[in-house]
Amino acid sequence: MKKSRILTGHRPTGPRHIGHLVGTLETWAQLQDSYECFFLVADLHVLTTNYHPEHLQDNILNMLADWLAAGIDPNRATIVLQSIIPEHAQLSLLLGMLTTVARLERVPTYKDQARELNLQPSSGLLTYPVLQAADILLYKAKIVPVGEDQLPHIELARELARRFNRTFGRIFPEPRAQLSNAPRLPGTDNRTMHTSYGNAIFLRDTPEETARKIMSMYTDPTRLRADDPGHVEGNPVFALLDIFHADKDELSELKTRYEAGKVGDVEVKQLLAVSLNAYLVPLRARRAELYAQPKMLMEILYSGTVKAKFEAQQTLEEVYEKMGLLHSQSISEKALANNIAGVFC
Ligand code: TRP
């Protein structure tokens, strides 16, 4: 039986952190067994909120090294670089005709970003979810594994698929979001772990950097002395121990002692540093080896992109045809007839 197709992706904002690892990458790695997976490096989407041309390439390499180290397998999945396939931008433009500015202004991520940025939002930011819909529909993906924050974008992609199918004829399956059941990790300051908050532990951090970050972590603010009873609930050190500490019995005994005021924060943090570093050892070795081979990483990215390009082209031709536009093949036949093939080919 043909496997269902998945498409998902990340914006290449730099190295991945442990929140990405347990929130998405470990799930993606597993999905490769049962689905035909497309993983998108959404570099155009990065441009909606910041552009640092000098960092973009290195951010892509860092992200790719982390993806592969976490188990994304280019022999089983297709890794796609968005900006090299013009069909993403073309389909986005066409889908943009099928929604209203008012509808896009109501997307919650747009409102949040517009508030956070101290700039007038660009039209690119407004149409961010239209480009994302194009990413998904271009490959006719059925399932889109994402975090909760992305649900409004998938909803728009579904709407656009329905509207296109109704208006021009059926091409697109209606994509469905698949929520990851992994919890969002707290960062060192107990807000959600996020690259831009400065509270993240990165996969590429050394064991020493990791330990240093953990030792400076927020714990239980109500606890002033080590013999005060501590709170486990809402304590980010324990939230991370729950995920990364392998010995669950030892952990539950530690929690009991913490709540009884019998163990200090320092000891608990030291244990987390040891557990997390142990968890990351094999991954870090692979990621260092991969990151040291940028040419190979780019080759992997290009070979996935070439495969994807073929699919993207086919879909766009169908879309052109349904929308009454001339696609390149029909143009070149007509052009040939008029002896002006050279202009188009
Ligand atoms: N917007 C997604 C994010 O920030 C990244 C993304 C771009 C994406 N295109 C996509 C995710 C298509 C799923 C499908 O995480």
Side-chain angles (χ1 to χ4, degrees):
M1 208 181 78
K2 208 165 160 267
K3 291 178 174 173
S4 292
R5 183 172 291 177
I6 274 186
L7 183 137
T8 186
H10 277 171
R11 290 176 308 137
T13 49
R16 302 294 86 183
H17 52 63
I18 56 172
H20 292 124
L21 178 67
V22 300
T24 59
L25 298 179
E26 289 181 349
T27 319
W28 293 5
Q30 283 172 4
L31 290 170
Q32 297 175 119
D33 296 331
S34 332
Y35 297 93
E36 185 193 5
C37 293
F38 282 63
F39 297 119
L40 181 74
V41 178
D43 57 344
L44 295 175
H45 275 116
V46 173
L47 305 179
T48 58
T49 50
N50 72 18
Y51 17 87
H52 292 289
E54 69 283 13
H55 298 313
L56 191 55
Q57 295 307 313
D58 188 51
N59 282 346
I60 290 173
L61 291 173
N62 266 298
M63 187 171 89
L64 262 182
D66 288 333
W67 279 13
L68 300 180
I72 304 304
D73 175 1
N75 294 316
R76 291 190 292 157
T78 307
I79 304 177
V80 188
L81 182 58
Q82 187 186 35
S83 63
I84 312 193
I85 303 185
E87 282 81 358
H88 286 260
Q90 289 176 294
L91 183 59
S92 173
L93 180 93
L94 297 173
L95 294 175
M97 314 301 170
L98 299 178
T99 188
T100 63
V101 171
R103 168 70 180 88
L104 296 177
E105 281 172 340
R106 284 197 300 273
V107 173
T109 44
Y110 173 73
K111 284 196 271 180
D112 294 347
Q113 288 273 357
R115 202 176 325 112
E116 259 176 53
L117 295 168
N118 286 322
L119 296 168
Q120 285 294 323
S122 64
S123 70
L125 186 67
L126 182 68
T127 55
Y128 183 116
V130 180
L131 178 60
Q132 185 164 348
D135 298 338
I136 299 164
L137 300 183
L138 200 49
Y139 302 101
K140 302 185 179 179
K142 292 219 171 93
I143 301 167
V144 189
V146 282
E148 206 166 352
D149 60 316
Q150 296 292 309
L151 288 181
H153 297 176
I154 311 308
E155 195 44 51
L156 184 77
R158 291 166 63 80
E159 252 173 67
L160 289 171
R162 283 199 295 270
R163 197 158 302 136
F164 186 100
N165 290 343
R166 216 184 316 120
T167 314
F168 301 110
R170 214 193 127 67
I171 302 187
F172 298 120
E174 231 179 273
R176 187 167 58 74
Q178 184 172 296
L179 273 183
S180 145
N181 49 15
R184 286 190 161 266
L185 292 200
T188 50
D189 59 0
N190 206 25
R191 291 186 294 167
T192 301
M193 188 173 291
H194 207 295
T195 304
S196 66
Y197 292 169
N199 65 357
I201 297 171
F202 295 99
L203 304 182
R204 70 152 185 211
D205 286 347
T206 62
E208 295 73 31
E209 277 169 316
T210 304
R212 211 172 322 119
K213 287 181 180 179
I214 290 173
M215 295 318 286
S216 72
M217 259 176 98
Y218 174 105
T219 52
D220 175 0
T222 64
R223 195 167 188 238
L224 302 176
R225 300 199 324 249
D227 55 5
D228 289 341
H231 294 88
V232 165
E233 202 67 26
N235 186 326
V237 179
F238 280 99
L240 297 188
L241 276 168
D242 275 334
I243 294 171
F244 298 107
H245 191 69
D247 186 339
K248 301 300 170 208
D249 292 338
E250 188 185 35
L251 183 56
S252 90
E253 186 249 350
L254 182 74
K255 286 179 181 173
T256 311
R257 283 200 291 140
Y258 191 80
E259 284 170 334
K262 297 225 165 65
V263 56
D265 283 329
V266 171
E267 192 184 321
V268 179
K269 287 175 173 181
Q270 278 166 344
L271 183 69
L272 174 59
V274 171
S275 311
L276 178 57
N277 280 329
Y279 189 95
L280 294 176
V281 163
L283 190 150
R284 280 175 167 159
R286 286 196 297 274
R287 92 79 70 191
E289 202 180 306
L290 289 158
Y291 185 67
Q293 303 176 73
K295 257 184 78 179
M296 187 200 64
L297 288 174
M298 288 319 279
E299 273 162 25
I300 288 175
L301 186 56
Y302 287 141
S303 73
T305 303
V306 167
K307 256 200 289 175
K309 164 83 184 172
F310 177 74
E311 302 256 347
Q313 236 166 345
Q314 282 191 323
T315 306
L316 201 74
E317 282 193 5
E318 277 180 82
V319 169
Y320 262 47
E321 185 146 350
K322 294 276 191 209
M323 292 182 91
L325 301 164
L326 292 176
H327 54 76
S328 58
Q329 239 173 339
S330 50
I331 278 280
S332 56
E333 279 160 22
K334 289 190 174 60
L336 268 174
N338 290 317
N339 240 345
I340 52 169
V343 178
F344 298 104
C345 307

PDB file of all heavy atoms in Angstrom, residues 7-11 40 42 45 128 132 135-136 144 146 150 153, ligand 1:
ATOM      1  N   LEU A   7       4.046  16.383   5.178  1.00  0.00           N
ATOM      2  CA  LEU A   7       5.001  17.475   4.996  1.00  0.00           C
ATOM      3  C   LEU A   7       5.021  18.312   6.261  1.00  0.00           C
ATOM      4  O   LEU A   7       3.974  18.642   6.825  1.00  0.00           O
ATOM      5  CB  LEU A   7       4.633  18.380   3.819  1.00  0.00           C
ATOM      6  CG  LEU A   7       5.682  19.496   3.588  1.00  0.00           C
ATOM      7  CD1 LEU A   7       5.997  19.681   2.123  1.00  0.00           C
ATOM      8  CD2 LEU A   7       5.304  20.814   4.232  1.00  0.00           C
ATOM      9  N   THR A   8       6.224  18.589   6.714  1.00  0.00           N
ATOM     10  CA  THR A   8       6.368  19.519   7.827  1.00  0.00           C
ATOM     11  C   THR A   8       7.722  20.196   7.691  1.00  0.00           C
ATOM     12  O   THR A   8       8.510  19.850   6.804  1.00  0.00           O
ATOM     13  CB  THR A   8       6.174  18.839   9.190  1.00  0.00           C
ATOM     14  OG1 THR A   8       6.184  19.847  10.213  1.00  0.00           O
ATOM     15  CG2 THR A   8       7.246  17.802   9.482  1.00  0.00           C
ATOM     16  N   GLY A   9       7.986  21.174   8.520  1.00  0.00           N
ATOM     17  CA  GLY A   9       9.267  21.859   8.380  1.00  0.00           C
ATOM     18  C   GLY A   9       9.542  22.810   9.517  1.00  0.00           C
ATOM     19  O   GLY A   9       8.713  22.991  10.415  1.00  0.00           O
ATOM     20  N   HIS A  10      10.726  23.375   9.455  1.00  0.00           N
ATOM     21  CA  HIS A  10      11.150  24.388  10.416  1.00  0.00           C
ATOM     22  C   HIS A  10      11.709  25.572   9.654  1.00  0.00           C
ATOM     23  O   HIS A  10      12.259  25.397   8.569  1.00  0.00           O
ATOM     24  CB  HIS A  10      12.297  23.856  11.292  1.00  0.00           C
ATOM     25  CG  HIS A  10      11.873  23.036  12.446  1.00  0.00           C
ATOM     26  ND1 HIS A  10      12.797  22.338  13.209  1.00  0.00           N
ATOM     27  CD2 HIS A  10      10.667  22.798  13.004  1.00  0.00           C
ATOM     28  CE1 HIS A  10      12.153  21.702  14.185  1.00  0.00           C
ATOM     29  NE2 HIS A  10      10.867  21.958  14.074  1.00  0.00           N
ATOM     30  N   ARG A  11      11.614  26.726  10.271  1.00  0.00           N
ATOM     31  CA  ARG A  11      12.353  27.875   9.736  1.00  0.00           C
ATOM     32  C   ARG A  11      13.805  27.747  10.197  1.00  0.00           C
ATOM     33  O   ARG A  11      14.057  27.492  11.382  1.00  0.00           O
ATOM     34  CB  ARG A  11      11.746  29.175  10.264  1.00  0.00           C
ATOM     35  CG  ARG A  11      10.372  29.435   9.670  1.00  0.00           C
ATOM     36  CD  ARG A  11       9.722  30.644  10.257  1.00  0.00           C
ATOM     37  NE  ARG A  11       9.727  30.574  11.704  1.00  0.00           N
ATOM     38  CZ  ARG A  11      10.021  31.580  12.520  1.00  0.00           C
ATOM     39  NH1 ARG A  11      10.315  32.767  12.038  1.00  0.00           N
ATOM     40  NH2 ARG A  11      10.001  31.432  13.820  1.00  0.00           N
ATOM     41  N   LEU A  40      10.741  20.270   5.257  1.00  0.00           N
ATOM     42  CA  LEU A  40      11.016  21.519   4.552  1.00  0.00           C
ATOM     43  C   LEU A  40      11.906  22.454   5.367  1.00  0.00           C
ATOM     44  O   LEU A  40      11.638  22.721   6.541  1.00  0.00           O
ATOM     45  CB  LEU A  40       9.683  22.222   4.277  1.00  0.00           C
ATOM     46  CG  LEU A  40       9.765  23.547   3.523  1.00  0.00           C
ATOM     47  CD1 LEU A  40      10.085  23.306   2.052  1.00  0.00           C
ATOM     48  CD2 LEU A  40       8.461  24.320   3.660  1.00  0.00           C
ATOM     49  N   ALA A  42      12.350  25.933   5.667  1.00  0.00           N
ATOM     50  CA  ALA A  42      11.505  27.055   5.229  1.00  0.00           C
ATOM     51  C   ALA A  42      12.274  28.376   5.321  1.00  0.00           C
ATOM     52  O   ALA A  42      12.007  29.230   6.162  1.00  0.00           O
ATOM     53  CB  ALA A  42      10.224  27.093   6.054  1.00  0.00           C
ATOM     54  N   HIS A  45      10.325  31.696   4.791  1.00  0.00           N
ATOM     55  CA  HIS A  45       9.543  32.133   5.947  1.00  0.00           C
ATOM     56  C   HIS A  45      10.386  32.929   6.954  1.00  0.00           C
ATOM     57  O   HIS A  45       9.867  33.779   7.663  1.00  0.00           O
ATOM     58  CB  HIS A  45       8.912  30.923   6.649  1.00  0.00           C
ATOM     59  CG  HIS A  45       7.608  30.494   6.035  1.00  0.00           C
ATOM     60  ND1 HIS A  45       7.442  29.265   5.441  1.00  0.00           N
ATOM     61  CD2 HIS A  45       6.422  31.128   5.916  1.00  0.00           C
ATOM     62  CE1 HIS A  45       6.191  29.167   4.994  1.00  0.00           C
ATOM     63  NE2 HIS A  45       5.560  30.274   5.266  1.00  0.00           N
ATOM     64  N   TYR A 128       2.273  35.029   5.369  1.00  0.00           N
ATOM     65  CA  TYR A 128       3.052  33.881   5.877  1.00  0.00           C
ATOM     66  C   TYR A 128       2.260  32.572   5.790  1.00  0.00           C
ATOM     67  O   TYR A 128       2.737  31.575   5.241  1.00  0.00           O
ATOM     68  CB  TYR A 128       3.480  34.193   7.317  1.00  0.00           C
ATOM     69  CG  TYR A 128       4.347  33.163   8.003  1.00  0.00           C
ATOM     70  CD1 TYR A 128       5.651  33.465   8.383  1.00  0.00           C
ATOM     71  CD2 TYR A 128       3.866  31.885   8.311  1.00  0.00           C
ATOM     72  CE1 TYR A 128       6.442  32.537   9.043  1.00  0.00           C
ATOM     73  CE2 TYR A 128       4.654  30.951   8.958  1.00  0.00           C
ATOM     74  CZ  TYR A 128       5.939  31.282   9.325  1.00  0.00           C
ATOM     75  OH  TYR A 128       6.721  30.353   9.966  1.00  0.00           O
ATOM     76  N   GLN A 132       2.801  29.023   3.648  1.00  0.00           N
ATOM     77  CA  GLN A 132       2.830  27.729   4.328  1.00  0.00           C
ATOM     78  C   GLN A 132       1.815  26.768   3.701  1.00  0.00           C
ATOM     79  O   GLN A 132       2.103  25.576   3.522  1.00  0.00           O
ATOM     80  CB  GLN A 132       2.560  27.915   5.825  1.00  0.00           C
ATOM     81  CG  GLN A 132       2.700  26.629   6.613  1.00  0.00           C
ATOM     82  CD  GLN A 132       2.810  26.860   8.107  1.00  0.00           C
ATOM     83  OE1 GLN A 132       3.011  27.989   8.572  1.00  0.00           O
ATOM     84  NE2 GLN A 132       2.672  25.792   8.877  1.00  0.00           N
ATOM     85  N   ASP A 135       3.344  25.450   0.640  1.00  0.00           N
ATOM     86  CA  ASP A 135       4.335  24.407   0.956  1.00  0.00           C
ATOM     87  C   ASP A 135       3.656  23.035   1.048  1.00  0.00           C
ATOM     88  O   ASP A 135       4.184  22.028   0.583  1.00  0.00           O
ATOM     89  CB  ASP A 135       4.996  24.656   2.322  1.00  0.00           C
ATOM     90  CG  ASP A 135       5.777  25.956   2.387  1.00  0.00           C
ATOM     91  OD1 ASP A 135       6.158  26.463   1.319  1.00  0.00           O
ATOM     92  OD2 ASP A 135       5.986  26.456   3.517  1.00  0.00           O
ATOM     93  N   ILE A 136       2.508  23.041   1.690  1.00  0.00           N
ATOM     94  CA  ILE A 136       1.816  21.773   1.962  1.00  0.00           C
ATOM     95  C   ILE A 136       1.101  21.269   0.709  1.00  0.00           C
ATOM     96  O   ILE A 136       1.225  20.104   0.326  1.00  0.00           O
ATOM     97  CB  ILE A 136       0.789  21.977   3.106  1.00  0.00           C
ATOM     98  CG1 ILE A 136       1.504  22.422   4.391  1.00  0.00           C
ATOM     99  CG2 ILE A 136      -0.029  20.709   3.343  1.00  0.00           C
ATOM    100  CD1 ILE A 136       0.582  23.011   5.445  1.00  0.00           C
ATOM    101  N   VAL A 144       0.095  16.940   8.376  1.00  0.00           N
ATOM    102  CA  VAL A 144       1.091  17.961   8.706  1.00  0.00           C
ATOM    103  C   VAL A 144       1.347  17.930  10.214  1.00  0.00           C
ATOM    104  O   VAL A 144       0.561  18.469  11.000  1.00  0.00           O
ATOM    105  CB  VAL A 144       0.607  19.370   8.291  1.00  0.00           C
ATOM    106  CG1 VAL A 144       1.727  20.386   8.431  1.00  0.00           C
ATOM    107  CG2 VAL A 144       0.066  19.365   6.864  1.00  0.00           C
ATOM    108  N   VAL A 146       2.600  19.201  13.456  1.00  0.00           N
ATOM    109  CA  VAL A 146       3.016  20.530  13.925  1.00  0.00           C
ATOM    110  C   VAL A 146       2.693  20.707  15.398  1.00  0.00           C
ATOM    111  O   VAL A 146       1.965  19.908  15.984  1.00  0.00           O
ATOM    112  CB  VAL A 146       2.273  21.666  13.168  1.00  0.00           C
ATOM    113  CG1 VAL A 146       2.837  21.919  11.795  1.00  0.00           C
ATOM    114  CG2 VAL A 146       0.772  21.412  13.126  1.00  0.00           C
ATOM    115  N   GLN A 150       0.792  26.230  15.435  1.00  0.00           N
ATOM    116  CA  GLN A 150       0.659  26.233  13.977  1.00  0.00           C
ATOM    117  C   GLN A 150      -0.746  25.856  13.501  1.00  0.00           C
ATOM    118  O   GLN A 150      -1.034  25.908  12.312  1.00  0.00           O
ATOM    119  CB  GLN A 150       1.671  25.256  13.357  1.00  0.00           C
ATOM    120  CG  GLN A 150       3.120  25.628  13.589  1.00  0.00           C
ATOM    121  CD  GLN A 150       3.487  26.899  12.843  1.00  0.00           C
ATOM    122  OE1 GLN A 150       3.239  27.031  11.652  1.00  0.00           O
ATOM    123  NE2 GLN A 150       4.049  27.861  13.564  1.00  0.00           N
ATOM    124  N   HIS A 153      -2.604  28.022  11.055  1.00  0.00           N
ATOM    125  CA  HIS A 153      -2.044  27.999   9.693  1.00  0.00           C
ATOM    126  C   HIS A 153      -2.558  26.791   8.910  1.00  0.00           C
ATOM    127  O   HIS A 153      -2.832  26.880   7.718  1.00  0.00           O
ATOM    128  CB  HIS A 153      -0.517  27.973   9.736  1.00  0.00           C
ATOM    129  CG  HIS A 153       0.082  29.193  10.357  1.00  0.00           C
ATOM    130  ND1 HIS A 153       1.428  29.336  10.573  1.00  0.00           N
ATOM    131  CD2 HIS A 153      -0.489  30.332  10.817  1.00  0.00           C
ATOM    132  CE1 HIS A 153       1.667  30.513  11.138  1.00  0.00           C
ATOM    133  NE2 HIS A 153       0.516  31.121  11.308  1.00  0.00           N
TER     134      HIS A 153
HETATM  135  N1  TRP B   1       5.607  27.858  10.147  1.00  0.00           N
HETATM  136  C1  TRP B   1       6.334  26.691  10.579  1.00  0.00           C
HETATM  137  C2  TRP B   1       7.033  27.008  11.897  1.00  0.00           C
HETATM  138  O1  TRP B   1       7.390  28.132  12.160  1.00  0.00           O
HETATM  139  C3  TRP B   1       7.367  26.263   9.561  1.00  0.00           C
HETATM  140  C4  TRP B   1       6.740  25.830   8.266  1.00  0.00           C
HETATM  141  C5  TRP B   1       6.848  26.432   7.057  1.00  0.00           C
HETATM  142  C6  TRP B   1       5.903  24.688   8.105  1.00  0.00           C
HETATM  143  N2  TRP B   1       6.167  25.752   6.134  1.00  0.00           N
HETATM  144  C7  TRP B   1       5.562  24.678   6.710  1.00  0.00           C
HETATM  145  C8  TRP B   1       5.405  23.703   8.970  1.00  0.00           C
HETATM  146  C9  TRP B   1       4.703  23.717   6.209  1.00  0.00           C
HETATM  147  C10 TRP B   1       4.543  22.732   8.440  1.00  0.00           C
HETATM  148  C11 TRP B   1       4.201  22.751   7.071  1.00  0.00           C
HETATM  149  O2  TRP B   1       7.264  26.112  12.668  1.00  0.00           O
END
